[in-house]
Every structure is written in structure tokens, then in C-alpha cells.
Amino acid sequence: MSEDPTQLNPPINLPRHVAIVMDGNGRWAKARNMPRLAGHRKGVNAVRAVVECAGETGIPNLSLFAFSSENWNRPEAEVGGLMSLFMTALTKEVDELQKVGVRLRMAGETSRFSPDLRRQMEIAEKQTAEGTRLNLNICINYGGRWDIVNACRQIVSQGIAPDKIDEKLFSQYLQVPDSGDVDLMIRSGGESRISNFFLWQDAYAELYFTPVLWPDFGKKDFLEALQWYAHRQRRFGKTGDQVQQPN
């Protein structure tokens, strides 16, 4: 089937915020007797395809789980290769992202990265800051529990009275608050878990799990997830007869 999005009609009922756990790079490489890093390199193509498709279909917010706080436990060579890959991707892609109106933002505890990588992240964020077509959040050294604890620390440090704290205020102290709650969470690679990603923001997300390994994930797969979402009945605690049926 063609991956040209013009050959597949995107649904009318689109999510405003899509988050993706990009899983399966290592298994993709292993199946081909290649080093794990080869799978990560191939996965960059899938990132490019999904970002393009999100922009083409009109999704305003896309968050990608690029590197979790637990990923530091992987072999040193793999972690080092990933850091190099991040640097290369940021350097090569930022001009095109700016050109097509993508605003790039980093979510996570970035202080652990090298000064050069942090500097390149800042350059990319500043260069794309005026983008209005798509907010692209790259979650790097991110963990959902860390995000919640970090928000609590900020609130405490600012001396906000307990009776002033509600869900709306708390959400403003989480990472990329202007992207809002996640509507659709996609996980590639066949696993059925969210792996400490956006724990607060996923409260009412529709969870879509696909066996497709991330390096093989393309526009067609992304559009299939959007079509699946369009037919979900989102209740938010209401009964079925209280909810407007999806198109």
C-alpha cells in the first residue's frame, strides 16, 4: 500500500495531542544481524515520516519518547551512539523543521547531557520557536514519575499555598504544558505498556498498540492509528448515552 497520505483520507475527528513510544529499534536490528544502533539510525526515518504526516493532517501537538531516564542502563556503547545520533539529527533536521513551521521543544532532565548536545538543543529550540504548524516535543531523559515529582518541587519552591493547588495549576508545572493532555498514545513494537511516559497527561488517552517495529513504522501506520482513534467513544467517566458518538 502506498505511503502517500493523499492516498489515504485522514479522519475528521483528529486528536489534538499524539504521543508515541517508539519501540522496536533493537529487535529490528537483531532480526537483520545488525548492531542495535543500526535500528536506531533507521528509526530516524520513521520519525521524519510521522512528523511530516502529523503536519499534513493538521495535528497540532506530537510528542516522541526518544530516551527514557531508564535508558542510561543500556550498554555504554549504545548510549554513546544514541547521543551522537541525537546530535546529528538535531543538526541535520532543524533547518527543514523551521522551514515547514515545526516548533521543536525538549522535555526532560537535560542537565545530564554533554554541554555540546545541550547547546545544540537550545539552538534548535530557538531556531524553530516561531513555528505554528506543529509543536514537536522530543522527550529525552524523561520519565513520567520524574515529571510529576519535578512539578511538585517547583510548586513547593514557589511557596504556593496548598488550597491554591488544583489540577489546572499542577498541569502548568509539567513538561510542555501548552500541548495539553494526550488524546492518543501510540506504542510500536508489540508491547502493551506505557513505560513511565506522560503518566499524568495520559489520564484519558486512547492507547493504541501495534506490532510494527518502529523502523518500519510509516505514514500508513500513523494514519491507521488516527482512523482507529476516530472511531473510539471517549467517555471521560460518563455513561455511553451521555457521550457524543464519534463520526
Side-chain angles (χ1 to χ4, degrees):
M1 185 180 294
S2 171
E3 291 208 349
D4 182 351
T6 62
Q7 303 302 312
L8 290 171
N9 295 322
I12 296 174
N13 181 31
L14 287 170
R16 289 191 54 78
H17 187 182
V18 177
I20 305 179
V21 179
M22 305 179 294
D23 192 22
N25 291 336
R27 282 172 285 155
W28 183 93
K30 183 178 180 180
R32 291 159 177 78
N33 294 315
M34 301 168 70
R36 289 177 58 88
L37 196 58
H40 295 304
R41 292 195 183 99
K42 183 68 174 178
V44 173
N45 294 333
V47 170
R48 188 179 297 113
V50 166
V51 171
E52 289 177 358
C53 194
E56 291 162 352
T57 54
I59 292 170
N61 300 285
L62 175 65
S63 297
L64 304 178
F65 203 8
F67 190 84
S68 79
S69 52
E70 290 82 15
N71 286 158
W72 293 106
N73 296 321
R74 293 186 175 185
E76 183 176 348
E78 182 179 357
V79 172
L82 281 169
M83 297 301 108
S84 178
L85 185 59
F86 291 151
M87 176 70 83
T88 300
L90 282 172
T91 304
K92 288 186 175 181
E93 303 292 339
V94 65
D95 288 343
E96 181 63 22
L97 292 175
Q98 180 186 25
K99 180 179 177 181
V100 298
V102 174
R103 180 188 178 193
L104 181 65
R105 295 175 299 180
M106 302 296 162
E109 178 51 75
T110 60
S111 63
R112 188 168 177 178
F113 298 118
S114 70
D116 287 344
L117 181 53
R118 293 201 306 271
R119 189 177 306 111
Q120 190 59 44
M121 290 177 180
E122 293 173 1
I123 290 171
E125 287 182 325
K126 290 179 180 178
Q127 186 173 333
T128 61
E130 301 302 318
T132 58
R133 189 181 190 188
L134 171 68
N135 290 321
L136 175 60
N137 308 313
I138 303 298
C139 300
I140 184 167
N141 195 23
Y142 175 90
R145 291 179 175 178
W146 166 85
D147 197 0
I148 293 170
V149 170
N150 186 61
C152 292
R153 287 172 174 164
Q154 292 183 68
I155 291 171
V156 170
S157 70
Q158 294 184 15
I160 298 174
D163 61 350
K164 300 296 184 183
I165 302 172
D166 57 17
E167 291 183 12
K168 182 177 180 180
L169 182 142
F170 188 85
S171 295
Q172 294 305 305
Y173 287 85
L174 296 169
Q175 298 291 290
V176 292
D178 53 338
S179 286
D181 287 343
V182 174
D183 297 307
L184 172 63
M185 165 73 78
I186 300 171
R187 181 174 184 137
S188 65
E191 299 292 348
S192 300
R193 56 179 179 267
I194 60 176
S195 295
N196 195 25
F197 185 35
F198 278 167
L199 298 182
W200 177 281
Q201 299 90 331
D202 283 341
Y204 283 100
E206 299 295 325
L207 306 179
Y208 180 86
F209 302 108
T210 173
V212 178
L213 300 178
W214 181 247
D216 293 326
F217 194 94
K219 292 183 179 181
K220 175 182 70 68
D221 303 289
F222 189 60
L223 286 168
E224 287 177 354
L226 297 183
Q227 293 285 2
W228 175 87
Y229 171 86
H231 293 90
R232 296 292 298 165
Q233 185 183 87
R234 307 194 74 202
R235 299 189 178 186
F236 299 99
K238 300 177 182 178
T239 62
D241 56 2
Q242 292 176 302
V243 181
Q244 182 178 358
Q245 296 295 319
N247 296 325

